Amino acid sequence: MPELPEVETIRQGLLPLVVGRTVVEASVSPEAPRLVAWPPRADDLCRGLAGQRIEGVGRRGKYLLFALADGRTWVVHLRMTGVLVYRPQGCGGGRFLRASFRLDNGASLCFADLRKMGRMWLVDDPAQVVGKLGPEPLSEGFTAADLGRLLARRSAPVKAVLLDQGAIAGIGNIYADEALFEARVHPRRPASSLSGEEVRRLHKAVGLTLVRAMGDRGSSFDHYVDARGEKGSHHLNVKVFRRTDEACFECGSLIQRIKVAGRSTHFCPQCQV
DNA sequence: CTTATTCCCTGATTGC
DNA sequence: TGCAATCAGGGAATAA
């Protein structure tokens, strides 16, 4: 499940490989009829990409944004099992290959996706896709006070707010659990019940958690690989995520798994209150 | 406006 | 051994 640290690792990996390159040919498998969310016809996305030079690779939340020479933006979201890899020799086959984008140096960007939940768009303005996202948690402008204001008007569990992309962009199930452990806050606490001190702790914890994960080039619990097809290593360094019934590194209590906001949630019943 | 629930997808896992 | 049910989870859609 690529979240902010994984998508950012992919972005940084793609940057030196594709910026300045031109897409020669794009193709989308008829087996993936929902992959192209816009334009309505996948063929129009392929035709629109062909001949376009890639001017930059950006990221907003969990979305990758490819700036094209004609001013339009190719937007890619990997959802659960999507993988976007740069292959110098082209994509070849592969059972889960859903789309391929051949570049002017003979290499290809290959989009594989076991569960077919990934989406892509070709739009005039990226805001058409990412316009409703909340602030970037790692931006300078996102302060503890901002987080406090966000949480203050929500009665939902604090974890549900962390997962809400319209509240904060880029946090998914792994890093919500990890940040809440880091902040010593119980995932079921109503968001508005956090004290000022707890809000400051959570703000710091979110940043620390995401930066650490990027330092490990992301977590490869399942399918995630970076732009060159390499796994990350942060799944070896998590404190609670998928550590059910294992000892808390802080206090030795057994990590518990519960459901919060419809998502499996891992926490230490001793450390997190 | 909010929150909760369902659906999409398919391989892996669990239960009988 | 086989087969069905369940689970994983991001985000859109829908319900309340």
Side-chain angles (χ1 to χ4, degrees):
Chain A
M1 334 133 224
E3 306 181 19
L4 187 155
E6 287 77 25
V7 178
E8 179 61 20
T9 301
I10 294 169
R11 185 190 76 82
Q12 289 176 15
L14 286 175
L15 218 41
L17 298 172
V18 305
V19 171
R21 297 260 70 99
T22 296
V23 179
V24 172
E25 186 187 17
S27 74
V28 172
S29 164
E31 306 289 304
R34 310 175 71 108
L35 170 57
V36 176
W38 192 266
R41 297 166 50 109
D43 274 358
D44 290 331
L45 177 132
C46 294
R47 274 194 288 269
L49 280 173
Q52 289 300 316
R53 204 175 95 114
I54 297 172
E55 305 285 354
V57 187
R59 180 193 58 76
R60 186 75 172 84
K62 305 173 192 172
Y63 295 79
L64 279 169
L65 309 170
F66 295 84
L68 305 174
D70 68 356
R72 306 186 83 194
T73 304
W74 176 33
V75 184
V76 178
H77 195 301
L78 303 171
R79 293 275 191 103
M80 299 292 300
T81 56
V83 162
L84 189 63
V85 179
Y86 175 92
R87 297 198 188 281
Q89 312 298 335
C91 298
R95 188 172 165 200
F96 304 120
L97 185 70
R98 310 300 185 194
S100 55
F101 306 87
R102 196 156 53 83
L103 305 176
D104 57 355
N105 61 347
S108 288
L109 278 174
C110 309
F111 181 84
D113 189 9
L114 184 150
R115 287 184 219 173
K116 300 182 180 174
M117 286 181 167
R119 296 289 180 269
M120 55 183 68
W121 300 255
L122 179 61
V123 290
D124 292 332
D125 179 356
Q128 292 170 248
V129 180
V130 299
K132 288 170 296 181
L133 293 178
E136 285 291 320
L138 293 179
S139 75
E140 287 287 325
F142 182 66
T143 66
D146 293 329
L147 179 62
R149 275 188 289 277
L150 214 59
L151 298 176
R153 51 183 154 85
R154 304 284 295 264
S155 64
V158 59
K159 174 164 174 179
V161 180
L162 289 182
L163 291 175
D164 180 351
Q165 302 302 299
I168 310 163
I171 300 173
N173 212 29
I174 300 170
Y175 302 113
D177 282 5
E178 292 297 304
L180 286 165
F181 174 78
E182 188 66 35
R184 303 295 189 260
V185 171
H186 194 292
R188 279 203 174 126
R189 286 274 302 283
S192 56
S193 76
L194 269 65
S195 68
E197 166 62 21
E198 288 172 323
V199 170
R200 283 189 290 277
R201 252 166 34 212
L202 183 56
H203 177 263
K204 194 173 172 184
V206 165
L208 196 58
T209 300
L210 297 174
V211 166
R212 277 185 191 150
M214 287 193 289
D216 287 339
R217 306 184 56 75
S219 303
S220 292
F221 283 98
D222 297 306
H223 302 79
Y224 165 73
V225 290
D226 67 15
R228 296 191 127 100
E230 305 283 333
K231 291 185 175 191
S233 61
H234 195 67
H235 55 289
L236 304 171
N237 296 324
V238 292
K239 310 271 179 69
V240 292
F241 189 76
R242 292 200 188 167
R243 294 194 63 246
T244 313
D245 292 334
E246 293 178 37
C248 171
F249 296 127
E250 212 52 48
C251 74
S253 303
L254 299 189
I255 302 302
Q256 285 187 8
R257 194 177 103 162
I258 58 175
K259 283 267 184 201
V260 179
R263 298 285 177 249
S264 66
T265 297
H266 314 74
F267 74 106
C268 172
Q270 181 71 35
C271 294
Q272 294 172 259
V273 275

